[in-house]
Amino acid sequence: MDIHKRTIELPVADLHLREAGDDAEGNVIEGYALKFGERSQLLNDWYERYYEILEPGCLTRETLDSQDFILSLYHDPHKVLGRSNHGKGTLSYEVDETGVKFSCRMPDTAYGHEAMELVKRGDLDGCSFIYSTNEENNVEYSKIQDENGNECLLRRVVKIDNIYDFTLTWRPAYKQTECSAREREMLEGMNVVEVPEENIKEEEKDETASWREEVKALHKVADSAFDF
């Protein structure tokens, strides 16, 4: 069973604040942590080029309610802004036709004030999340062409098994109409997709196998960072 942790970043233009005076709680940051049906930029995981789409229904309220995950700054588990522990806590969310929308009142901490100020200034205007899924059962691949007519893969995620965090981040540099790209700052080099063996060139197989072993070891380190 191949289950890999991946990070998806979305430039969410409607990430915004509800400051004190707007409602009884005040100092709330809200927006979409992920959106359904949006095709990513062309991505490259070591040896394979592909686009990715999160299919509608791939993440449900029931799945989110079964998880223990945080809202953070920059995927840093030490910079916690909110938490949902099996549907309860300071981080709230809802699933609609667009995707997963979250809302969280910022804590009275240095990180909370930093998040509020940077979102207010527009320096942080995107959201990202870390997830894992069973590649064999929950991901569908097909061959398509990129914008230049070169062959690549289309990766459709039909089900997400686990959520580890939502995070606030900056807008990645790519076309706004293609509003999904992977965060590469936190887990750089760990976001390797298990592409079917027949799609790997013969001369790359030995090198690919070595990379996979290194990545699996790195995943063990990354996983421990999200243990509460």
Side-chain angles (χ1 to χ4, degrees):
M1 179 183 297
D2 290 324
I3 298 178
H4 291 280
K5 184 178 291 185
R6 297 173 51 76
T7 309
I8 297 294
E9 181 170 297
L10 300 139
V12 183
D14 57 353
L15 181 67
H16 62 278
L17 304 177
R18 292 208 318 265
E19 297 190 57
D22 291 338
D23 58 29
E25 293 184 343
N27 297 331
V28 171
I29 294 178
E30 57 186 16
Y32 280 93
L34 65 99
K35 291 185 176 181
F36 300 136
E38 301 283 357
R39 195 181 78 168
S40 73
Q41 273 286 79
L42 187 62
L43 306 175
N44 193 321
D45 275 332
W46 298 110
Y47 52 83
E48 199 64 71
R49 298 160 62 252
Y50 66 98
Y51 295 104
E52 180 168 277
I53 294 178
L54 302 175
E55 291 294 318
C58 68
L59 185 58
T60 65
R61 177 78 194 215
E62 289 73 22
T63 297
L64 287 167
D65 287 347
S66 70
Q67 307 289 307
D68 185 357
F69 62 99
I70 62 172
L71 174 67
S72 68
L73 271 177
Y74 323 121
H75 293 299
D76 187 337
H78 302 293
K79 296 183 177 181
V80 177
L81 303 175
R83 179 182 178 187
S84 175
N85 186 356
H86 297 86
K88 299 179 180 180
T90 54
L91 173 61
S92 60
Y93 46 80
E94 59 184 67
V95 181
D96 58 23
E97 294 181 354
T98 300
V100 178
K101 185 176 182 179
F102 75 91
S103 178
C104 185
R105 183 184 181 190
M106 292 296 98
D108 187 15
T109 64
Y111 304 133
H113 297 306
E114 177 181 351
M116 288 290 297
E117 181 64 17
L118 292 177
V119 172
K120 183 177 181 179
R121 284 160 46 101
D123 297 328
L124 294 182
D125 55 4
C127 294
S128 171
F129 74 105
I130 298 177
Y131 77 94
S132 65
T133 195
N134 185 312
E135 291 286 328
E136 182 178 354
N137 296 333
N138 300 333
V139 180
E140 298 175 353
Y141 286 96
S142 59
K143 291 184 178 180
I144 61 171
Q145 292 184 337
D146 63 20
E147 295 178 352
N148 297 318
N150 300 314
E151 187 176 275
C152 63
L153 292 175
L154 178 62
R155 181 178 188 271
R156 293 183 177 274
V157 180
V158 298
K159 185 177 184 295
I160 290 175
D161 291 325
N162 300 291
I163 290 291
Y164 300 93
D165 89 333
F166 296 161
T167 205
L168 306 182
T169 185
W170 53 90
R171 185 186 303 276
Y174 56 80
K175 295 179 182 179
Q176 187 171 353
T177 53
E178 296 179 343
C179 65
S180 177
R182 291 177 314 131
E183 169 78 11
R184 297 181 182 274
E185 291 298 316
M186 183 64 186
L187 306 182
E188 178 73 26
M190 295 188 201
N191 303 324
V192 174
V193 176
E194 294 292 323
V195 175
E197 196 75 15
E198 60 267 21
N199 292 326
I200 305 174
K201 295 178 181 179
E202 190 65 34
E203 61 269 21
E204 295 175 338
K205 287 186 178 180
D206 290 342
E207 188 175 8
T208 298
S210 176
W211 281 336
R212 286 176 176 170
E213 290 304 314
E214 293 180 12
V215 169
K216 287 177 181 179
L218 289 172
H219 271 293
K220 292 180 180 179
V221 176
D223 288 341
S224 65
F226 288 91
D227 289 338
F228 287 92

